[in-house]
Amino acid sequence: MRTTIDVRFHEVDSQGHANHTAIVAWVAHCRIKLLDEYVTQAACEDMDYVLVGLSMNFRKEVFYPDRVEIEGKVTKVGTSSVETAFYVHRGDDEIANAVCTNVFFDTASQASVEIPSDLKKLLTSD
């Protein structure tokens, strides 16, 4: 999954580059798009997910009005969790990369649940 983000002026800090919190938000946007796509395809209406782990590495600066592309993919599927990886690029330059861990849970009981088999098949198909 790929998504494009335009660096917005309000994301620029006093150093003149996009603040690290903006890059984290870009990854969050891509993460939600990626996982929502799988959850929707599997018709898991009473299921949601929550971020429980985030590891981020910042490699290069990015400035306004740059445009970045974020590539996201599922890297590991557990019993109730899924690990995803994200790569933020401006052209050939890697700006940042991240690994996220999400746990699936039932919205009614607010408890973690095993990933349904239909969803697990989709998550492991790529």
Side-chain angles (χ1 to χ4, degrees):
M1 168 317 157
R2 291 180 185 266
T3 191
T4 301
I5 303 275
D6 290 320
V7 178
R8 298 171 293 186
F9 179 75
H10 75 271
E11 296 170 324
V12 176
D13 63 17
S14 62
Q15 301 285 322
H17 60 268
N19 189 280
H20 67 282
T21 59
I23 300 170
V24 172
W26 303 340
V27 167
H29 173 75
C30 190
R31 177 182 59 85
I32 291 166
K33 280 181 69 172
L34 176 69
L35 293 177
D36 278 356
E37 204 172 279
Y38 285 115
V39 169
T40 299
Q41 285 179 33
C44 296
E45 298 170 7
D46 294 331
M47 178 171 285
D48 208 346
Y49 52 88
V50 62
L51 180 70
V52 298
L54 168 65
S55 174
M56 190 98 184
N57 298 297
F58 302 98
R59 302 286 184 211
K60 294 194 177 199
E61 296 175 324
V62 61
F63 300 88
Y64 172 82
D66 282 337
R67 174 176 281 176
V68 297
E69 184 173 74
I70 304 170
E71 178 186 357
K73 61 183 179 179
V74 173
T75 55
K76 183 178 176 185
V77 179
T79 302
S80 63
S81 66
V82 62
E83 183 180 278
T84 49
F86 300 91
Y87 306 92
V88 182
H89 287 92
R90 179 189 58 228
D92 292 335
D93 291 332
E94 184 178 288
I95 303 303
N97 60 61
V99 174
C100 301
T101 303
N102 289 269
V103 170
F104 287 89
F105 69 98
D106 180 280
T107 54
S109 67
Q110 294 289 298
S112 64
V113 294
E114 187 173 328
I115 300 170
S117 60
D118 289 348
L119 179 55
K120 193 172 260 192
K121 283 179 193 173
L122 289 170
L123 292 167
T124 58
S125 67
D126 291 335

